[in-house]
Amino acid sequence: MTADKTGAETTVRDNPAERRYDIHVDAPGGEALAGFAEYRDRVSGTPDAPTTARVFFHTEVDPDFGGRGLATILVREALDDARARDLTIVGVCPLVAAFLTKHPEYADATAPVTPAVLEWLRSGAA
């Protein structure tokens, strides 16, 4: 667990049914969903050597939880999880892209946003 700027404990979990990572914050009365980072997995390469890219395309934090550093926690933990799974990270989402620019230590696990990735994302292909 990681604490936000207020000291509240946070938990980031992959939610594959929704194709997103959720960030939950300890709150009075229990855990509250504070935001999420949506992704789609794109498989490419050859059948003998497939590669999977986790394409992050949208991140949001509920305004009630703004200013607490939750977006940074969410993105960092989502990217760490993707990297641990040997997935290539593609940051279409402006927040994820900005994070990757500020954190070159993720460069070994990233691929650029290309017209082909954007077309695939727009097509809704699985």
Side-chain angles (χ1 to χ4, degrees):
M1 281 197 199
T2 303
D4 71 7
K5 290 179 180 178
T6 70
E9 292 294 321
T10 65
T11 305
V12 175
R13 290 189 286 267
D14 186 12
N15 180 349
E18 298 290 329
R19 294 191 296 193
R20 68 187 200 184
Y21 288 87
D22 295 333
I23 185 165
H24 298 266
V25 178
D26 283 349
E31 201 176 70
L33 176 64
F36 55 86
E38 293 179 298
Y39 64 82
R40 295 206 19 241
D41 289 338
R42 182 176 191 244
V43 179
S44 61
T46 65
D48 294 336
T51 60
T52 302
R54 182 144 287 177
V55 181
F56 290 89
F57 64 92
H58 178 74
T59 303
E60 70 180 69
V61 172
D62 185 311
D64 290 343
F65 294 94
R68 296 170 56 167
L70 296 174
T72 300
I73 294 167
L74 171 59
V75 169
R76 176 177 283 115
E77 292 193 23
L79 299 185
D80 286 348
D81 181 69
R83 179 194 267 175
R85 296 179 191 206
D86 291 323
L87 301 172
T88 301
I89 299 162
V90 180
V92 174
C93 167
L95 185 71
V96 174
F99 182 92
L100 290 170
T101 298
K102 291 178 186 174
H103 297 276
E105 64 269 24
Y106 288 91
D108 65 323
T110 64
V113 177
T114 64
V117 167
L118 294 175
E119 179 60 32
W120 170 82
L121 199 55
R122 281 191 290 269
S123 76

